Amino acid sequence: RSRGRYQREELFRLLAEHFRTARTPQKADDLSLASMTERILTRMIADGELEEDAAGCLTTGERASASSPGQPLSEQECRERLLARLFRRGGAHFEVFLANALEKYYLVTGRDVTCCEITGGSADGGIDIVIDTVDELGFAEHILVQAKCRQQAQVTEKEIREFYGALNAQKGSRGIFATTTSFHPGAQKLLDSLDNCVGIDG
Protein backbone atom coordinates (compact mmCIF):
# COMPACT_ATOMS: atom_id res chain seq x y z
CA ARG A 1 0.00 0.00 0.00
CA SER A 2 2.84 2.43 0.78
CA ARG A 3 4.26 2.09 -2.71
CA GLY A 4 0.84 1.68 -4.30
CA ARG A 5 2.26 -0.64 -6.97
CA TYR A 6 2.45 -4.44 -6.87
CA GLN A 7 2.95 -7.42 -9.10
CA ARG A 8 0.22 -10.03 -8.55
CA GLU A 9 2.76 -12.64 -7.43
CA GLU A 10 4.23 -10.23 -4.88
CA LEU A 11 0.77 -9.41 -3.58
CA PHE A 12 -0.10 -13.11 -3.18
CA ARG A 13 3.18 -13.67 -1.29
CA LEU A 14 2.55 -10.75 1.09
CA LEU A 15 -0.99 -11.93 1.78
CA ALA A 16 0.19 -15.50 2.41
CA GLU A 17 2.66 -14.15 4.97
CA HIS A 18 0.03 -11.91 6.57
CA PHE A 19 -2.55 -14.70 6.92
CA ARG A 20 0.20 -17.25 7.72
CA THR A 21 -0.97 -19.68 5.06
CA ALA A 22 2.65 -19.87 3.90
CA ARG A 23 3.52 -21.54 7.23
CA THR A 24 0.98 -24.34 6.96
CA PRO A 25 1.91 -27.62 5.27
CA GLN A 26 -1.37 -27.78 3.33
CA LYS A 27 -1.21 -26.30 -0.15
CA ALA A 28 -5.00 -25.99 -0.15
CA ASP A 29 -4.70 -22.96 2.15
CA ASP A 30 -2.48 -21.14 -0.33
CA LEU A 31 -4.70 -22.07 -3.27
CA SER A 32 -7.84 -20.91 -1.46
CA LEU A 33 -6.23 -17.57 -0.55
CA ALA A 34 -4.93 -17.08 -4.10
CA SER A 35 -8.35 -17.84 -5.58
CA MET A 36 -10.14 -15.44 -3.23
CA THR A 37 -7.55 -12.71 -3.84
CA GLU A 38 -7.91 -13.12 -7.61
CA ARG A 39 -11.68 -12.69 -7.40
CA ILE A 40 -11.30 -9.55 -5.27
CA LEU A 41 -8.67 -8.06 -7.61
CA THR A 42 -10.83 -8.77 -10.66
CA ARG A 43 -13.77 -6.97 -9.05
CA MET A 44 -11.60 -4.01 -7.96
CA ILE A 45 -10.20 -3.65 -11.49
CA ALA A 46 -13.74 -3.79 -12.95
CA ASP A 47 -14.86 -1.11 -10.48
CA GLY A 48 -11.91 1.14 -11.36
CA GLU A 49 -10.39 0.95 -7.88
CA LEU A 50 -7.28 -0.73 -9.29
CA GLU A 51 -5.59 -0.60 -12.68
CA GLU A 52 -3.34 -3.22 -14.23
CA ASP A 53 -0.70 -2.26 -16.78
CA ALA A 54 0.73 -4.42 -19.58
CA ALA A 55 3.48 -5.70 -17.27
CA GLY A 56 0.89 -6.98 -14.78
CA CYS A 57 1.56 -4.28 -12.16
CA LEU A 58 -1.43 -3.23 -10.07
CA THR A 59 -1.80 0.42 -9.15
CA THR A 60 -4.47 2.53 -7.50
CA GLY A 61 -7.14 3.35 -10.07
CA GLU A 62 -8.25 6.83 -11.07
CA ARG A 63 -11.52 6.61 -9.16
CA ALA A 64 -9.88 5.34 -5.98
CA SER A 65 -7.17 8.00 -6.04
CA ALA A 66 -9.51 10.90 -6.81
CA SER A 67 -9.88 11.72 -3.13
CA SER A 68 -7.35 11.71 -0.32
CA PRO A 69 -7.58 8.78 2.13
CA GLY A 70 -9.94 9.60 4.98
CA GLN A 71 -11.35 12.61 3.11
CA PRO A 72 -15.16 12.39 2.77
CA LEU A 73 -16.53 12.53 -0.75
CA SER A 74 -18.82 15.33 -1.79
CA GLU A 75 -22.37 14.51 -2.84
CA GLN A 76 -21.42 15.23 -6.46
CA GLU A 77 -18.40 12.88 -6.29
CA CYS A 78 -20.57 10.11 -4.82
CA ARG A 79 -23.14 10.62 -7.55
CA GLU A 80 -20.52 10.56 -10.33
CA ARG A 81 -18.88 7.41 -8.95
CA LEU A 82 -22.19 5.61 -8.55
CA LEU A 83 -23.34 6.49 -12.07
CA ALA A 84 -19.95 5.52 -13.55
CA ARG A 85 -20.17 2.13 -11.82
CA LEU A 86 -23.73 1.58 -13.05
CA PHE A 87 -22.74 2.44 -16.64
CA ARG A 88 -19.80 0.01 -16.55
CA ARG A 89 -21.94 -2.84 -15.25
CA GLY A 90 -24.80 -2.26 -17.66
CA GLY A 91 -28.56 -2.40 -17.76
CA ALA A 92 -29.04 -5.80 -16.12
CA HIS A 93 -27.03 -4.69 -13.08
CA PHE A 94 -28.97 -1.41 -12.93
CA GLU A 95 -32.23 -3.38 -12.74
CA VAL A 96 -30.91 -5.41 -9.78
CA PHE A 97 -29.58 -2.26 -8.08
CA LEU A 98 -32.88 -0.44 -8.57
CA ALA A 99 -35.00 -3.38 -7.40
CA ASN A 100 -32.95 -3.66 -4.20
CA ALA A 101 -33.14 0.08 -3.56
CA LEU A 102 -36.91 0.22 -4.08
CA GLU A 103 -37.52 -2.86 -1.95
CA LYS A 104 -35.57 -1.26 0.92
CA TYR A 105 -37.47 2.01 0.42
CA TYR A 106 -40.84 0.31 0.78
CA LEU A 107 -39.69 -1.69 3.82
CA VAL A 108 -38.38 1.37 5.70
CA THR A 109 -41.57 3.30 4.93
CA GLY A 110 -43.65 0.68 6.72
CA ARG A 111 -44.87 -1.60 3.97
CA ASP A 112 -44.46 -5.35 3.56
CA VAL A 113 -42.95 -6.41 0.22
CA THR A 114 -44.61 -9.63 -0.92
CA CYS A 115 -42.90 -9.71 -4.32
CA CYS A 116 -39.86 -8.01 -5.84
CA GLU A 117 -39.10 -9.59 -9.19
CA ILE A 118 -36.85 -8.55 -12.07
CA THR A 119 -38.61 -9.33 -15.35
CA GLY A 120 -36.28 -7.41 -17.69
CA GLY A 121 -35.35 -8.96 -21.01
CA SER A 122 -36.26 -8.79 -24.68
CA ALA A 123 -39.82 -10.00 -23.94
CA ASP A 124 -40.47 -8.01 -20.76
CA GLY A 125 -43.43 -6.14 -22.26
CA GLY A 126 -41.96 -2.78 -21.26
CA ILE A 127 -41.74 -3.70 -17.57
CA ASP A 128 -38.38 -4.46 -15.91
CA ILE A 129 -39.33 -4.85 -12.24
CA VAL A 130 -42.52 -5.90 -10.46
CA ILE A 131 -43.01 -5.02 -6.78
CA ASP A 132 -46.05 -5.96 -4.73
CA THR A 133 -46.53 -4.24 -1.37
CA VAL A 134 -49.07 -4.26 1.46
CA ASP A 135 -49.42 -1.47 4.03
CA GLU A 136 -50.47 -1.75 7.69
CA LEU A 137 -54.16 -1.43 6.80
CA GLY A 138 -53.92 -4.19 4.20
CA PHE A 139 -54.03 -2.01 1.08
CA ALA A 140 -52.08 -3.70 -1.70
CA GLU A 141 -50.11 -2.04 -4.48
CA HIS A 142 -48.92 -3.67 -7.71
CA ILE A 143 -45.98 -1.45 -8.76
CA LEU A 144 -44.40 -1.78 -12.20
CA VAL A 145 -40.99 -0.29 -12.99
CA GLN A 146 -39.13 0.59 -16.18
CA ALA A 147 -35.34 1.05 -15.83
CA LYS A 148 -33.14 2.86 -18.38
CA CYS A 149 -29.37 2.82 -17.79
CA ARG A 150 -28.10 5.47 -20.20
CA GLN A 151 -25.17 7.85 -20.32
CA GLN A 152 -26.67 10.65 -22.41
CA ALA A 153 -30.03 10.15 -24.15
CA GLN A 154 -33.03 11.67 -22.39
CA VAL A 155 -36.24 9.73 -21.87
CA THR A 156 -38.80 10.82 -24.46
CA GLU A 157 -42.52 11.49 -24.19
CA LYS A 158 -43.10 8.48 -26.49
CA GLU A 159 -41.30 6.19 -24.04
CA ILE A 160 -43.45 7.44 -21.16
CA ARG A 161 -46.62 6.84 -23.21
CA GLU A 162 -45.48 3.30 -24.03
CA PHE A 163 -44.66 2.61 -20.39
CA TYR A 164 -48.02 3.97 -19.26
CA GLY A 165 -49.73 1.71 -21.78
CA ALA A 166 -47.82 -1.31 -20.43
CA LEU A 167 -48.68 -0.26 -16.87
CA ASN A 168 -52.40 -0.29 -17.67
CA ALA A 169 -52.24 -3.45 -19.80
CA GLN A 170 -50.59 -5.33 -16.90
CA LYS A 171 -53.00 -3.83 -14.34
CA GLY A 172 -50.38 -1.99 -12.34
CA SER A 173 -51.66 0.31 -9.61
CA ARG A 174 -48.55 2.50 -9.76
CA GLY A 175 -45.65 2.99 -12.15
CA ILE A 176 -42.07 4.13 -11.72
CA PHE A 177 -39.90 5.11 -14.68
CA ALA A 178 -36.25 5.34 -13.57
CA THR A 179 -33.38 6.60 -15.70
CA THR A 180 -29.73 7.44 -15.06
CA THR A 181 -30.06 10.50 -17.33
CA SER A 182 -33.04 12.86 -17.37
CA PHE A 183 -36.51 13.34 -18.83
CA HIS A 184 -37.16 15.45 -21.90
CA PRO A 185 -39.42 18.42 -20.94
CA GLY A 186 -42.33 16.85 -22.83
CA ALA A 187 -41.81 13.56 -21.02
CA GLN A 188 -41.64 15.32 -17.65
CA LYS A 189 -44.83 17.24 -18.39
CA LEU A 190 -46.62 13.99 -19.23
CA LEU A 191 -45.31 12.34 -16.04
CA ASP A 192 -46.55 15.29 -13.98
CA SER A 193 -50.04 14.81 -15.42
CA LEU A 194 -50.27 11.14 -14.41
CA ASP A 195 -51.49 10.61 -10.86
CA ASN A 196 -50.24 7.01 -10.55
CA CYS A 197 -46.88 7.29 -12.32
CA VAL A 198 -43.61 8.94 -11.23
CA GLY A 199 -40.17 9.43 -12.70
CA ILE A 200 -36.78 9.05 -11.01
CA ASP A 201 -33.88 10.64 -12.88
CA GLY A 202 -30.10 10.56 -12.53
Side-chain angles (χ1 to χ4, degrees), residues 4 15-16 36 48 75 82 85 93 97 103 116 119 122 133 149 162 183 187 189 194 201:
L15 287 170
M36 182 183 299
E75 184 178 331
L82 174 60
R85 180 173 293 188
H93 175 79
F97 170 83
E103 182 178 26
C116 184
T119 61
S122 57
T133 68
C149 186
E162 289 172 352
F183 296 99
K189 183 178 179 181
L194 303 174
D201 63 17

Side-chain angles (χ1 to χ4, degrees), residues 106 111 114 131-135 139-143 172-174:
Y106 286 118
R111 278 163 281 191
T114 58
I131 304 172
D132 292 330
T133 68
V134 181
D135 69 14
F139 288 105
E141 293 275 14
H142 184 54
I143 302 152
S173 57
R174 296 193 185 278

Side-chain angles (χ1 to χ4, degrees), residues 41-201:
L41 292 177
T42 299
R43 174 60 64 87
M44 291 179 75
I45 291 169
D47 288 349
E49 296 169 17
L50 288 177
E51 293 175 355
E52 185 174 18
D53 62 21
C57 287
L58 297 164
T59 56
T60 303
E62 181 181 338
R63 288 196 318 110
S65 60
S67 301
S68 303
Q71 196 72 266
L73 297 173
S74 69
E75 184 178 331
Q76 182 63 24
E77 286 175 316
C78 286
R79 179 180 179 278
E80 288 173 358
R81 289 189 181 197
L82 174 60
L83 288 173
R85 180 173 293 188
L86 291 172
F87 296 146
R88 278 197 307 277
R89 294 190 175 179
H93 175 79
F94 180 54
E95 290 171 6
V96 173
F97 170 83
L98 184 61
N100 287 337
L102 289 171
E103 182 178 26
K104 287 177 177 62
Y105 165 76
Y106 286 118
L107 290 171
V108 300
T109 54
R111 278 163 281 191
D112 289 332
V113 177
T114 58
C115 170
C116 184
E117 181 183 1
I118 297 166
T119 61
S122 57
D124 62 14
I127 303 301
D128 295 315
I129 303 165
V130 175
I131 304 172
D132 292 330
T133 68
V134 181
D135 69 14
E136 292 179 354
L137 292 176
F139 288 105
E141 293 275 14
H142 184 54
I143 302 152
L144 306 181
V145 184
Q146 174 73 238
K148 294 292 185 187
C149 186
R150 297 171 170 170
Q151 287 188 279
Q152 293 183 339
Q154 288 185 313
V155 174
T156 65
E157 182 179 343
K158 179 176 181 287
E159 288 176 304
I160 298 299
R161 290 189 184 282
E162 289 172 352
F163 172 63
Y164 192 64
L167 174 68
N168 288 309
Q170 298 188 34
K171 295 181 171 52
S173 57
R174 296 193 185 278
I176 300 171
F177 197 115
T179 177
T180 51
T181 55
S182 60
F183 296 99
H184 183 276
Q188 186 62 60
K189 183 178 179 181
L190 176 57
L191 274 172
D192 293 341
S193 73
L194 303 174
D195 59 4
N196 66 337
C197 196
V198 298
I200 302 174
D201 63 17

